[in-house]
Amino acid sequence: MTSPEQDSLDELSAAIRTFAAERNWEPFHTPKNLVMALSVEASELVEIFQWLTPEQAANVMDNPEVGEHVREEVADVFAYLLGVCGVLGIDLAQALRDKLVKNALKYPTPKPLA
Amino acid sequence: MTSPEQDSLDELSAAIRTFAAERNWEPFHTPKNLVMALSVEASELVEIFQWLTPEQAANVMDNPEVGEHVREEVADVFAYLLGVCGVLGIDLAQALRDKLVKNALKYPTPKPLA
Amino acid sequence: MTSPEQDSLDELSAAIRTFAAERNWEPFHTPKNLVMALSVEASELVEIFQWLTPEQAANVMDNPEVGEHVREEVADVFAYLLGVCGVLGIDLAQALRDKLVKNALKYPTPKPLA
Amino acid sequence: MTSPEQDSLDELSAAIRTFAAERNWEPFHTPKNLVMALSVEASELVEIFQWLTPEQAANVMDNPEVGEHVREEVADVFAYLLGVCGVLGIDLAQALRDKLVKNALKYPTPKPLA
């Protein structure tokens, strides 16, 4: 049985895969190339923020043009993340849930005072 | 009305947000810092692949230890991507669907021969 | 006494610093912003190579236009690397020599057969 | 005739090349792999700064341990930058001088008031 979020991530992942297949991009979409592209898109997101003060960065979505740019770069990162998981056969939602369990052990919550 | 995939991405996003709140990490999780962390995690994924041949990269999940490392880095990228969208109020699934529409115009599919 | 390579790196570093000062960019050139910009430029270099086969990547300088693009991105990485060292007071040549000594201990050369 | 800074960058570049050759790393040091490694090292530098406030980032060298970490990551970026230039036959100092000329046209200095 698959979980609901996996179903829907599968839908988005399938859309990505179809998009690449229709354009004959599959030979280029090797794991090595896709992780490179993922990191490049992450940097394009960083580029938007690099000269902003923390205050300007916090209000970046208030500017419609810059906000749309941020949305596009976030989408590009997500597209390549789904692409990487697609070619490597990784269940992204399950990987995140597993990592949260691992991180919860690594970073325990502060103990409440008795 | 929210779409099913948004519901489930919302669940994962809420889990990320709760995880950070329980550890009092919110003051650090500014947009600027989170996009930096996202790009750093993307590079940690790249690091696994950087010295591999294309063939080795294609078979990276066959090694249980390396495969688990890849799953963890992919999860970290996803966690920060959801974190960025959380603090900026971005609907990640909708951003991806919008970008696919835009990309479909930018990169038309090859015309079939008549 | 400064070493010859430090003298010349100092010259290039001074040129970078003057360039920024003449444009009143100094308030933006904080350490945090400059390391972000450095990583963004490194990714712009990666972007040129991401869809190339290893063979195409090895011959990338044979194409004058692409080769010039590579030279420009390499220069941008160097400019921000010198910028980072400038604001942090790091002697780049000495940092590299120190790191090579450390790496030589970490990665000993294969022992010659007797 | 080579310029003084090129002579010394050549020395550092030759040290990098010898270091790799002595360890039989040359087959791994393809252009594609080296640009990946360069971007990964740039991100390791970013990682040091990602949760720091601008003030903490500005004082990062005051902490001897963190300062040494910064020097090491800066050195790693420089090592791979020289490595990339080495395999691609790029004169790094000349590339930077050419880029500064180009940037000076792109970003003219503010005109002084008459």
PDB file of all heavy atoms in Angstrom, chain A residues 5 11 14 18 20-21 23 29 32 34-36 40-42 46 49-50 74 78 80 87 93 96 104 108 114:
ATOM      1  N   GLU A   5       0.779  10.702   0.062  1.00  0.00           N
ATOM      2  CA  GLU A   5       1.743  11.672  -0.476  1.00  0.00           C
ATOM      3  C   GLU A   5       2.621  11.036  -1.540  1.00  0.00           C
ATOM      4  O   GLU A   5       3.082  11.688  -2.455  1.00  0.00           O
ATOM      5  CB  GLU A   5       2.594  12.330   0.626  1.00  0.00           C
ATOM      6  CG  GLU A   5       3.621  11.472   1.292  1.00  0.00           C
ATOM      7  CD  GLU A   5       3.097  10.913   2.597  1.00  0.00           C
ATOM      8  OE1 GLU A   5       1.892  10.580   2.656  1.00  0.00           O
ATOM      9  OE2 GLU A   5       3.864  10.791   3.535  1.00  0.00           O
ATOM     10  N   GLU A  11       2.701  11.217  -9.133  1.00  0.00           N
ATOM     11  CA  GLU A  11       2.083  11.938 -10.251  1.00  0.00           C
ATOM     12  C   GLU A  11       3.002  13.032 -10.778  1.00  0.00           C
ATOM     13  O   GLU A  11       3.194  13.168 -11.988  1.00  0.00           O
ATOM     14  CB  GLU A  11       0.759  12.572  -9.819  1.00  0.00           C
ATOM     15  CG  GLU A  11      -0.394  11.584  -9.717  1.00  0.00           C
ATOM     16  CD  GLU A  11      -1.664  12.257  -9.182  1.00  0.00           C
ATOM     17  OE1 GLU A  11      -1.580  13.418  -8.727  1.00  0.00           O
ATOM     18  OE2 GLU A  11      -2.724  11.617  -9.217  1.00  0.00           O
ATOM     19  N   ALA A  14       5.920  11.469 -12.468  1.00  0.00           N
ATOM     20  CA  ALA A  14       5.552  10.948 -13.794  1.00  0.00           C
ATOM     21  C   ALA A  14       5.453  12.075 -14.811  1.00  0.00           C
ATOM     22  O   ALA A  14       5.866  11.919 -15.971  1.00  0.00           O
ATOM     23  CB  ALA A  14       4.222  10.197 -13.706  1.00  0.00           C
ATOM     24  N   THR A  18       7.625  12.162 -18.218  1.00  0.00           N
ATOM     25  CA  THR A  18       6.987  12.291 -19.527  1.00  0.00           C
ATOM     26  C   THR A  18       7.541  13.499 -20.280  1.00  0.00           C
ATOM     27  O   THR A  18       7.833  13.424 -21.483  1.00  0.00           O
ATOM     28  CB  THR A  18       5.460  12.450 -19.360  1.00  0.00           C
ATOM     29  OG1 THR A  18       4.956  11.300 -18.678  1.00  0.00           O
ATOM     30  CG2 THR A  18       4.768  12.591 -20.708  1.00  0.00           C
ATOM     31  N   ALA A  20      10.448  14.887 -20.082  1.00  0.00           N
ATOM     32  CA  ALA A  20      11.789  14.588 -20.602  1.00  0.00           C
ATOM     33  C   ALA A  20      11.722  13.614 -21.766  1.00  0.00           C
ATOM     34  O   ALA A  20      12.421  13.783 -22.777  1.00  0.00           O
ATOM     35  CB  ALA A  20      12.669  14.032 -19.481  1.00  0.00           C
ATOM     36  N   ALA A  21      10.862  12.607 -21.641  1.00  0.00           N
ATOM     37  CA  ALA A  21      10.772  11.585 -22.693  1.00  0.00           C
ATOM     38  C   ALA A  21      10.273  12.193 -24.004  1.00  0.00           C
ATOM     39  O   ALA A  21      10.791  11.873 -25.083  1.00  0.00           O
ATOM     40  CB  ALA A  21       9.847  10.454 -22.247  1.00  0.00           C
ATOM     41  N   ARG A  23      10.781  14.980 -25.163  1.00  0.00           N
ATOM     42  CA  ARG A  23      11.815  15.821 -25.778  1.00  0.00           C
ATOM     43  C   ARG A  23      13.118  15.049 -26.042  1.00  0.00           C
ATOM     44  O   ARG A  23      14.139  15.642 -26.391  1.00  0.00           O
ATOM     45  CB  ARG A  23      12.081  17.034 -24.866  1.00  0.00           C
ATOM     46  CG  ARG A  23      10.997  18.088 -25.008  1.00  0.00           C
ATOM     47  CD  ARG A  23      10.772  18.923 -23.799  1.00  0.00           C
ATOM     48  NE  ARG A  23       9.574  19.769 -23.984  1.00  0.00           N
ATOM     49  CZ  ARG A  23       8.313  19.322 -23.773  1.00  0.00           C
ATOM     50  NH1 ARG A  23       8.097  18.089 -23.340  1.00  0.00           N
ATOM     51  NH2 ARG A  23       7.283  20.121 -23.990  1.00  0.00           N
ATOM     52  N   HIS A  29      19.805  12.555 -19.190  1.00  0.00           N
ATOM     53  CA  HIS A  29      19.368  12.544 -17.790  1.00  0.00           C
ATOM     54  C   HIS A  29      19.923  11.348 -17.025  1.00  0.00           C
ATOM     55  O   HIS A  29      19.187  10.549 -16.460  1.00  0.00           O
ATOM     56  CB  HIS A  29      17.839  12.623 -17.733  1.00  0.00           C
ATOM     57  CG  HIS A  29      17.317  13.997 -17.999  1.00  0.00           C
ATOM     58  ND1 HIS A  29      16.060  14.415 -17.661  1.00  0.00           N
ATOM     59  CD2 HIS A  29      17.911  15.090 -18.557  1.00  0.00           C
ATOM     60  CE1 HIS A  29      15.890  15.683 -18.013  1.00  0.00           C
ATOM     61  NE2 HIS A  29      16.996  16.108 -18.575  1.00  0.00           N
ATOM     62  N   LYS A  32      24.471  11.144 -12.772  1.00  0.00           N
ATOM     63  CA  LYS A  32      25.543  12.119 -12.564  1.00  0.00           C
ATOM     64  C   LYS A  32      25.154  13.494 -13.101  1.00  0.00           C
ATOM     65  O   LYS A  32      25.341  14.518 -12.425  1.00  0.00           O
ATOM     66  CB  LYS A  32      26.829  11.613 -13.226  1.00  0.00           C
ATOM     67  CG  LYS A  32      28.060  12.450 -12.952  1.00  0.00           C
ATOM     68  CD  LYS A  32      29.346  11.654 -13.160  1.00  0.00           C
ATOM     69  CE  LYS A  32      30.574  12.526 -12.999  1.00  0.00           C
ATOM     70  NZ  LYS A  32      31.791  11.731 -12.735  1.00  0.00           N
ATOM     71  N   LEU A  34      22.106  14.659 -13.662  1.00  0.00           N
ATOM     72  CA  LEU A  34      20.949  15.217 -12.960  1.00  0.00           C
ATOM     73  C   LEU A  34      21.326  15.807 -11.603  1.00  0.00           C
ATOM     74  O   LEU A  34      20.767  16.829 -11.196  1.00  0.00           O
ATOM     75  CB  LEU A  34      19.861  14.149 -12.788  1.00  0.00           C
ATOM     76  CG  LEU A  34      19.080  13.788 -14.063  1.00  0.00           C
ATOM     77  CD1 LEU A  34      18.212  12.551 -13.821  1.00  0.00           C
ATOM     78  CD2 LEU A  34      18.201  14.951 -14.536  1.00  0.00           C
ATOM     79  N   VAL A  35      22.264  15.182 -10.897  1.00  0.00           N
ATOM     80  CA  VAL A  35      22.665  15.784  -9.613  1.00  0.00           C
ATOM     81  C   VAL A  35      23.424  17.090  -9.846  1.00  0.00           C
ATOM     82  O   VAL A  35      23.314  18.028  -9.049  1.00  0.00           O
ATOM     83  CB  VAL A  35      23.479  14.822  -8.697  1.00  0.00           C
ATOM     84  CG1 VAL A  35      22.649  13.593  -8.321  1.00  0.00           C
ATOM     85  CG2 VAL A  35      24.804  14.421  -9.304  1.00  0.00           C
ATOM     86  N   MET A  36      24.191  17.154 -10.958  1.00  0.00           N
ATOM     87  CA  MET A  36      24.839  18.413 -11.312  1.00  0.00           C
ATOM     88  C   MET A  36      23.778  19.486 -11.566  1.00  0.00           C
ATOM     89  O   MET A  36      23.872  20.609 -11.062  1.00  0.00           O
ATOM     90  CB  MET A  36      25.715  18.246 -12.562  1.00  0.00           C
ATOM     91  CG  MET A  36      26.924  17.334 -12.374  1.00  0.00           C
ATOM     92  SD  MET A  36      27.792  16.979 -13.946  1.00  0.00           S
ATOM     93  CE  MET A  36      28.810  18.465 -14.116  1.00  0.00           C
ATOM     94  N   VAL A  40      23.041  23.062  -9.680  1.00  0.00           N
ATOM     95  CA  VAL A  40      23.060  24.323 -10.432  1.00  0.00           C
ATOM     96  C   VAL A  40      21.772  25.103 -10.193  1.00  0.00           C
ATOM     97  O   VAL A  40      21.802  26.329  -9.986  1.00  0.00           O
ATOM     98  CB  VAL A  40      23.272  24.045 -11.940  1.00  0.00           C
ATOM     99  CG1 VAL A  40      22.993  25.291 -12.776  1.00  0.00           C
ATOM    100  CG2 VAL A  40      24.704  23.556 -12.180  1.00  0.00           C
ATOM    101  N   GLU A  41      20.636  24.409 -10.201  1.00  0.00           N
ATOM    102  CA  GLU A  41      19.363  25.102  -9.953  1.00  0.00           C
ATOM    103  C   GLU A  41      19.301  25.637  -8.524  1.00  0.00           C
ATOM    104  O   GLU A  41      18.774  26.736  -8.285  1.00  0.00           O
ATOM    105  CB  GLU A  41      18.170  24.173 -10.226  1.00  0.00           C
ATOM    106  CG  GLU A  41      18.037  23.741 -11.678  1.00  0.00           C
ATOM    107  CD  GLU A  41      17.802  24.908 -12.633  1.00  0.00           C
ATOM    108  OE1 GLU A  41      17.342  25.965 -12.191  1.00  0.00           O
ATOM    109  OE2 GLU A  41      18.107  24.760 -13.835  1.00  0.00           O
ATOM    110  N   ALA A  42      19.827  24.872  -7.567  1.00  0.00           N
ATOM    111  CA  ALA A  42      19.864  25.356  -6.181  1.00  0.00           C
ATOM    112  C   ALA A  42      20.675  26.650  -6.096  1.00  0.00           C
ATOM    113  O   ALA A  42      20.324  27.581  -5.371  1.00  0.00           O
ATOM    114  CB  ALA A  42      20.443  24.287  -5.257  1.00  0.00           C
ATOM    115  N   VAL A  46      20.007  30.543  -4.892  1.00  0.00           N
ATOM    116  CA  VAL A  46      20.907  31.302  -4.010  1.00  0.00           C
ATOM    117  C   VAL A  46      21.237  32.661  -4.619  1.00  0.00           C
ATOM    118  O   VAL A  46      21.301  33.677  -3.914  1.00  0.00           O
ATOM    119  CB  VAL A  46      22.213  30.507  -3.743  1.00  0.00           C
ATOM    120  CG1 VAL A  46      23.247  31.375  -3.024  1.00  0.00           C
ATOM    121  CG2 VAL A  46      21.916  29.257  -2.922  1.00  0.00           C
ATOM    122  N   PHE A  49      19.290  35.623  -3.720  1.00  0.00           N
ATOM    123  CA  PHE A  49      19.393  36.105  -2.336  1.00  0.00           C
ATOM    124  C   PHE A  49      20.766  36.659  -1.960  1.00  0.00           C
ATOM    125  O   PHE A  49      20.920  37.254  -0.894  1.00  0.00           O
ATOM    126  CB  PHE A  49      19.056  34.954  -1.366  1.00  0.00           C
ATOM    127  CG  PHE A  49      17.609  34.560  -1.375  1.00  0.00           C
ATOM    128  CD1 PHE A  49      17.115  33.644  -2.280  1.00  0.00           C
ATOM    129  CD2 PHE A  49      16.720  35.133  -0.471  1.00  0.00           C
ATOM    130  CE1 PHE A  49      15.763  33.291  -2.297  1.00  0.00           C
ATOM    131  CE2 PHE A  49      15.376  34.789  -0.468  1.00  0.00           C
ATOM    132  CZ  PHE A  49      14.895  33.861  -1.393  1.00  0.00           C
ATOM    133  N   GLN A  50      21.772  36.457  -2.816  1.00  0.00           N
ATOM    134  CA  GLN A  50      23.146  36.660  -2.355  1.00  0.00           C
ATOM    135  C   GLN A  50      23.502  38.091  -1.929  1.00  0.00           C
ATOM    136  O   GLN A  50      24.306  38.271  -1.028  1.00  0.00           O
ATOM    137  CB  GLN A  50      24.151  36.135  -3.382  1.00  0.00           C
ATOM    138  CG  GLN A  50      24.155  36.863  -4.702  1.00  0.00           C
ATOM    139  CD  GLN A  50      25.019  36.143  -5.737  1.00  0.00           C
ATOM    140  OE1 GLN A  50      25.605  35.107  -5.475  1.00  0.00           O
ATOM    141  NE2 GLN A  50      25.088  36.694  -6.933  1.00  0.00           N
ATOM    142  N   VAL A  74      12.625  27.460  -7.402  1.00  0.00           N
ATOM    143  CA  VAL A  74      12.194  26.408  -6.479  1.00  0.00           C
ATOM    144  C   VAL A  74      11.614  25.225  -7.271  1.00  0.00           C
ATOM    145  O   VAL A  74      11.896  24.059  -6.969  1.00  0.00           O
ATOM    146  CB  VAL A  74      11.159  26.987  -5.489  1.00  0.00           C
ATOM    147  CG1 VAL A  74      10.312  25.899  -4.870  1.00  0.00           C
ATOM    148  CG2 VAL A  74      11.864  27.801  -4.400  1.00  0.00           C
ATOM    149  N   PHE A  78      12.939  21.284  -7.570  1.00  0.00           N
ATOM    150  CA  PHE A  78      12.027  20.175  -7.316  1.00  0.00           C
ATOM    151  C   PHE A  78      11.987  19.236  -8.528  1.00  0.00           C
ATOM    152  O   PHE A  78      12.023  18.009  -8.384  1.00  0.00           O
ATOM    153  CB  PHE A  78      10.630  20.722  -7.009  1.00  0.00           C
ATOM    154  CG  PHE A  78       9.677  19.730  -6.412  1.00  0.00           C
ATOM    155  CD1 PHE A  78      10.106  18.642  -5.653  1.00  0.00           C
ATOM    156  CD2 PHE A  78       8.295  19.895  -6.592  1.00  0.00           C
ATOM    157  CE1 PHE A  78       9.196  17.753  -5.087  1.00  0.00           C
ATOM    158  CE2 PHE A  78       7.385  19.004  -6.038  1.00  0.00           C
ATOM    159  CZ  PHE A  78       7.837  17.926  -5.291  1.00  0.00           C
ATOM    160  N   TYR A  80      14.298  18.628 -10.771  1.00  0.00           N
ATOM    161  CA  TYR A  80      15.498  17.785 -10.868  1.00  0.00           C
ATOM    162  C   TYR A  80      15.598  16.825  -9.685  1.00  0.00           C
ATOM    163  O   TYR A  80      16.135  15.726  -9.819  1.00  0.00           O
ATOM    164  CB  TYR A  80      16.760  18.646 -11.002  1.00  0.00           C
ATOM    165  CG  TYR A  80      16.932  19.178 -12.398  1.00  0.00           C
ATOM    166  CD1 TYR A  80      16.972  20.540 -12.648  1.00  0.00           C
ATOM    167  CD2 TYR A  80      17.051  18.308 -13.481  1.00  0.00           C
ATOM    168  CE1 TYR A  80      17.115  21.033 -13.938  1.00  0.00           C
ATOM    169  CE2 TYR A  80      17.194  18.786 -14.768  1.00  0.00           C
ATOM    170  CZ  TYR A  80      17.225  20.146 -14.993  1.00  0.00           C
ATOM    171  OH  TYR A  80      17.367  20.612 -16.273  1.00  0.00           O
ATOM    172  N   VAL A  87      15.320   8.323 -11.769  1.00  0.00           N
ATOM    173  CA  VAL A  87      16.323   7.455 -12.416  1.00  0.00           C
ATOM    174  C   VAL A  87      17.000   6.516 -11.420  1.00  0.00           C
ATOM    175  O   VAL A  87      17.508   5.462 -11.802  1.00  0.00           O
ATOM    176  CB  VAL A  87      17.411   8.246 -13.187  1.00  0.00           C
ATOM    177  CG1 VAL A  87      16.790   8.994 -14.374  1.00  0.00           C
ATOM    178  CG2 VAL A  87      18.193   9.174 -12.292  1.00  0.00           C
ATOM    179  N   ALA A  93       9.327  10.571  -0.651  1.00  0.00           N
ATOM    180  CA  ALA A  93       8.596  10.813   0.607  1.00  0.00           C
ATOM    181  C   ALA A  93       9.101   9.865   1.700  1.00  0.00           C
ATOM    182  O   ALA A  93       9.302  10.272   2.853  1.00  0.00           O
ATOM    183  CB  ALA A  93       7.096  10.641   0.391  1.00  0.00           C
ATOM    184  N   LEU A  96      12.468  10.943   2.996  1.00  0.00           N
ATOM    185  CA  LEU A  96      12.364  12.072   3.927  1.00  0.00           C
ATOM    186  C   LEU A  96      11.868  11.595   5.296  1.00  0.00           C
ATOM    187  O   LEU A  96      12.412  12.003   6.330  1.00  0.00           O
ATOM    188  CB  LEU A  96      11.430  13.146   3.363  1.00  0.00           C
ATOM    189  CG  LEU A  96      11.221  14.373   4.262  1.00  0.00           C
ATOM    190  CD1 LEU A  96      12.552  15.018   4.647  1.00  0.00           C
ATOM    191  CD2 LEU A  96      10.312  15.397   3.574  1.00  0.00           C
ATOM    192  N   ALA A 104      15.827  12.872  14.299  1.00  0.00           N
ATOM    193  CA  ALA A 104      15.222  13.039  15.630  1.00  0.00           C
ATOM    194  C   ALA A 104      16.099  12.386  16.702  1.00  0.00           C
ATOM    195  O   ALA A 104      16.161  12.870  17.842  1.00  0.00           O
ATOM    196  CB  ALA A 104      13.821  12.443  15.649  1.00  0.00           C
ATOM    197  N   PRO A 108      18.010  15.407  19.595  1.00  0.00           N
ATOM    198  CA  PRO A 108      16.848  15.246  20.484  1.00  0.00           C
ATOM    199  C   PRO A 108      16.275  16.606  20.864  1.00  0.00           C
ATOM    200  O   PRO A 108      16.997  17.612  20.887  1.00  0.00           O
ATOM    201  CB  PRO A 108      17.417  14.518  21.701  1.00  0.00           C
ATOM    202  CG  PRO A 108      18.892  14.572  21.582  1.00  0.00           C
ATOM    203  CD  PRO A 108      19.262  14.960  20.194  1.00  0.00           C
ATOM    204  N   ALA A 114      10.894  19.537  34.743  1.00  0.00           N
ATOM    205  CA  ALA A 114       9.865  18.750  35.464  1.00  0.00           C
ATOM    206  C   ALA A 114       8.926  19.693  36.222  1.00  0.00           C
ATOM    207  O   ALA A 114       9.302  20.803  36.593  1.00  0.00           O
ATOM    208  CB  ALA A 114      10.527  17.787  36.418  1.00  0.00           C
TER     209      ALA A 114
END
